[in-house]
Amino acid sequence: MNKTELVAAMAEKAGLSKKDAEAALKAFTETVADELKKDGKVQLVGFGTFEVSKRAAREGRNPQSGAVMKIAASKAPKFKAGKALKDLVNN
C-alpha cells in the first residue's frame, strides 16, 4: 500500500474527504517526526511505539580494501509493534 492508497482507505473508513485524510496523515507524520527529533517517543497503546535508537560509534572495515575506518555515532528512528497489533497480524 502506498501513500495514495493509504489516504483513500483512511478517507473511506473515517468518512472524510481524501483532502482531509491526507491533511490528517501529514499532521500525524510531522508530529511523530518532531517528537522523535527531540529524542522523545510516541506511544499508541495497542498499536506500537515510535522511538529513537542510539547507535554508538564503532570501528568498521572497508569490504574492498579491508582498511579499518571509524563509523560515527548516530540515531535512527525505530518502531516497536504493540501486543494487539502483533496478535492481529499473527491470527
Side-chain angles (χ1 to χ4, degrees):
M1 176 180 279
N2 62 28
K3 182 180 175 184
T4 304
E5 294 167 339
L6 177 60
V7 167
M10 287 173 53
E12 186 177 326
K13 279 202 182 235
L16 301 170
S17 69
K18 286 184 182 179
K19 188 174 182 178
D20 290 342
E22 186 170 8
L25 179 61
K26 184 177 181 185
F28 173 76
T29 56
E30 287 176 356
T31 303
V32 170
D34 289 344
E35 187 62 28
L36 294 180
K37 191 174 180 181
K38 296 186 286 188
D39 281 340
K41 74 178 185 178
V42 177
Q43 187 172 6
L44 302 171
V45 176
F47 185 73
T49 304
F50 297 91
E51 58 190 337
V52 177
S53 174
K54 295 177 181 162
R55 297 179 183 164
R58 61 194 188 279
E59 284 189 352
R61 291 199 178 269
N62 181 328
Q64 290 182 337
S65 67
V68 176
M69 53 192 265
K70 293 196 182 264
I71 301 172
S74 64
K75 298 179 198 174
K78 180 171 111 176
F79 175 75
K80 181 179 177 189
K83 184 179 182 329
L85 181 58
K86 287 179 190 176
D87 291 345
L88 182 71
V89 170
N90 286 315
N91 288 333

